Amino acid sequence: MINDMFQFYQTLKKEGIMFCFSGPTSQSVVEGLGDALKQKMEMECMTRTASRHIFSIFVEQMQNVVHYSAEKASGDQQTEEELRDGIVVVGKLEKDEFYILSGNYIHKEDTHRLITLLDKLKKMDKNELKIFYKEERRRERREGGKGGGLGMIETARKASRPLEYKLTGSNDEQHDFISIKAVI
Amino acid sequence: MDTLNIEASKSSPLVKYEVESNTLEITGECYPENAVKFFTPIFQWLEGEVKSLDTLPLTINLNISYFNSSTSKALMNFFDILEEAHDKGKKIVVNWIYMEENETAEECGEEFQEDLENLPFNLVIIDSEQGI
């Protein structure tokens, strides 16, 4: 347990973290935090384009957790919304550079597909990403895919550098933990 | 003609059809949890609309300042249906409206335009002052 909140808070500040959320996520959490993030970005005097790109990545990554995180929040209470766990951090790197880190558990059977996609996106330049996005937009629509892929391509398009990811195996044999870093 | 009126929410736009001018307006941000569900009544309305033989052209004014990836798919689907109706002879005009300083919305409009062949699809800039 964290006993010293001040130290925790200072660590976040020192690391340039503007915003941090960990816990059960739903659409209403995305909307509420999205508002807070918008206000925070306004205070930081970011350019409108940078703010829009960060907001867009934030929504895609949070909705990704809402739809695909393998960790469902437990509890006896039946709520209307199904809550899934994840973590998201927005921080400042250098003067005009920001990053969004997001993480959640995924089912091992989905790991290969996701990693293949992320590796593919890493090698693409902006124009290739645009073409791929448009292809997937029509393909997923035709084939009725769940659409998780398009959100990841959108994240790669809005980032100013290739996306980085880290996969950490978990103790149980069914899940991996994936974290994705986007720099804007 | 069927009416269509959906109030805006934090993550979904105002949707309003005006019979007199035969105009559909969609205004606001769009990142609902389930874009397919949000667009279902719009597609149902569109199904009836494309069959009717109006003398006035159908005008679609879209002023969507931000949308998520699943909305992007729904919009592409929406434009494909409009294009098909247009190719069969229905008069349709789509206006993609965006604020001057919103480069992202401009690019999104251009990308839809590039993916459509015959559907009249105009990019319309408005001053920031004019608001939405």
Side-chain angles (χ1 to χ4, degrees), chain A residues 31 35 134 138 141 157, chain B residues 10-11 80 111 114-115:
Chain A
E31 291 170 11
D35 268 357
K134 285 176 158 196
R138 283 203 187 260
R141 191 178 70 69
R157 291 190 70 189
Chain B
K10 186 151 261 181
S11 59
D80 282 346
E111 286 178 16
E114 287 162 14
D115 278 7

Side-chain angles (χ1 to χ4, degrees), chain A:
Chain A
M1 177 173 164
I2 295 175
N3 285 314
D4 194 338
M5 274 310 280
F6 182 61
Q7 200 186 4
F8 182 53
Y9 183 74
Q10 274 191 317
T11 308
L12 295 180
K13 287 278 165 184
K14 206 172 68 198
E15 294 291 331
I17 291 165
M18 294 158 48
F19 190 92
C20 170
F21 173 83
S22 170
T25 307
S26 66
Q27 173 69 11
S28 43
V29 171
V30 178
E31 291 170 11
L33 290 179
D35 268 357
L37 179 62
K38 275 183 184 168
Q39 283 175 20
K40 176 72 183 163
M41 291 192 294
E42 214 163 284
M43 284 191 282
E44 291 278 328
C45 301
M46 281 185 207
T47 65
R48 281 168 162 172
T49 306
S51 302
R52 285 204 182 91
H53 286 188
I54 291 173
F55 185 73
S56 172
I57 293 175
F58 169 81
V59 170
E60 295 301 340
Q61 294 305 314
M62 288 290 274
Q63 288 187 331
N64 194 39
V65 171
V66 174
H67 292 136
Y68 304 109
S69 168
E71 190 179 13
K72 284 188 195 169
S74 54
D76 300 331
Q77 286 291 86
Q78 284 286 321
T79 50
E80 273 187 35
E81 290 180 307
E82 196 175 49
L83 300 168
R84 289 169 194 258
D85 272 12
I87 182 165
V88 64
V89 170
V90 182
K92 205 170 178 173
L93 275 177
E94 299 290 321
K95 38 183 183 245
D96 289 324
E97 272 198 319
F98 300 87
Y99 62 89
I100 297 188
L101 286 168
S102 52
N104 58 271
Y105 279 104
I106 53 171
H107 293 288
K108 269 203 195 303
E109 68 248 35
D110 297 327
T111 303
H112 178 71
R113 190 177 45 86
L114 184 58
I115 297 306
T116 309
L117 174 66
L118 285 164
D119 285 335
K120 187 173 174 178
L121 295 178
K122 258 182 157 175
K123 294 188 200 107
M124 291 182 164
D125 64 23
K126 286 287 167 219
N127 195 46
E128 288 168 327
L129 285 168
K130 175 182 166 175
I131 293 165
F132 188 41
Y133 178 87
K134 285 176 158 196
E135 278 171 9
E136 286 299 291
R137 178 159 71 181
R138 283 203 187 260
R139 194 188 63 81
E140 284 187 6
R141 191 178 70 69
R142 268 200 318 271
E143 295 170 12
K146 284 207 283 182
L150 202 64
M152 205 57 83
I153 308 172
E154 177 71 3
T155 299
R157 291 190 70 189
K158 292 288 188 287
S160 51
R161 296 190 209 159
L163 298 182
E164 291 170 39
Y165 68 84
K166 192 176 173 192
L167 193 70
T168 314
S170 68
N171 292 332
D172 77 75
E173 291 191 349
Q174 288 153 16
H175 302 108
D176 286 317
F177 189 85
I178 180 103
S179 59
I180 292 161
K181 180 180 172 186
V183 175
I184 299 106

